[in-house]
Amino acid sequence: PNPSDKAALQIAASNCLHALVSKCVLSIHFVYDWKEGRNCWTYEMLNRTLFGKPDVSHKALYSISEESIISEMASTEVLHPVFGSTSRLGWAYMKKGQERAFYVELNN
């Protein structure tokens, strides 16, 4: 969803986090476009949208990875965290931005 409409992401993320806590999934991967000066998601904005203000209970329950760049601006390849190496085609390629990712897992 568009970063200006956080409600849709909050609902989807709540469902995903519930699936994670219920052990229906092992991890949740967030892959998003980023370009300097554009209305794009950032790592910090996604974390605030997903978890609200930093809270000790979230840190105790979840492990949140650092952000990684999975495709540079001029690259035609994406090193997707789930699907592996794939071609960067269509809208993602035309936008000429970066593709970034991070993941959330349960702490053991």
Side-chain angles (χ1 to χ4, degrees):
N2 186 313
S4 61
D5 179 19
K6 294 178 180 70
L9 181 63
Q10 287 172 326
I11 292 167
S14 175
N15 291 334
C16 290
L17 291 172
H18 179 72
L20 185 64
V21 171
S22 300
K23 301 191 182 202
C24 296
V25 296
L26 299 176
S27 59
I28 304 166
H29 294 262
F30 293 88
V31 176
Y32 49 99
D33 300 327
W34 182 89
K35 188 171 183 181
E36 185 74 40
R38 299 289 180 138
N39 184 23
C40 300
W41 289 105
T42 64
Y43 178 76
E44 294 79 14
M45 188 187 308
L46 283 165
N47 273 285
R48 279 194 311 272
T49 302
L50 299 171
F51 301 109
K53 293 180 181 177
D55 185 324
V56 173
S57 65
H58 288 132
K59 291 181 181 178
L61 187 58
Y62 304 111
S63 174
I64 304 167
S65 76
E66 294 294 319
E67 177 181 57
S68 63
I69 297 171
I70 61 171
S71 185
E72 289 290 350
M73 289 184 195
S75 177
T76 58
E77 181 181 32
V78 176
L79 300 174
H80 197 280
V82 175
F83 304 116
S85 180
T86 186
S87 295
R88 186 176 186 187
L89 303 169
W91 185 249
Y93 181 70
M94 290 173 27
K95 289 174 76 173
K96 304 290 186 201
Q98 292 178 332
E99 301 290 324
R100 296 182 174 193
F102 70 94
Y103 62 89
V104 179
E105 296 177 325
L106 281 179
N107 284 329
N108 293 330

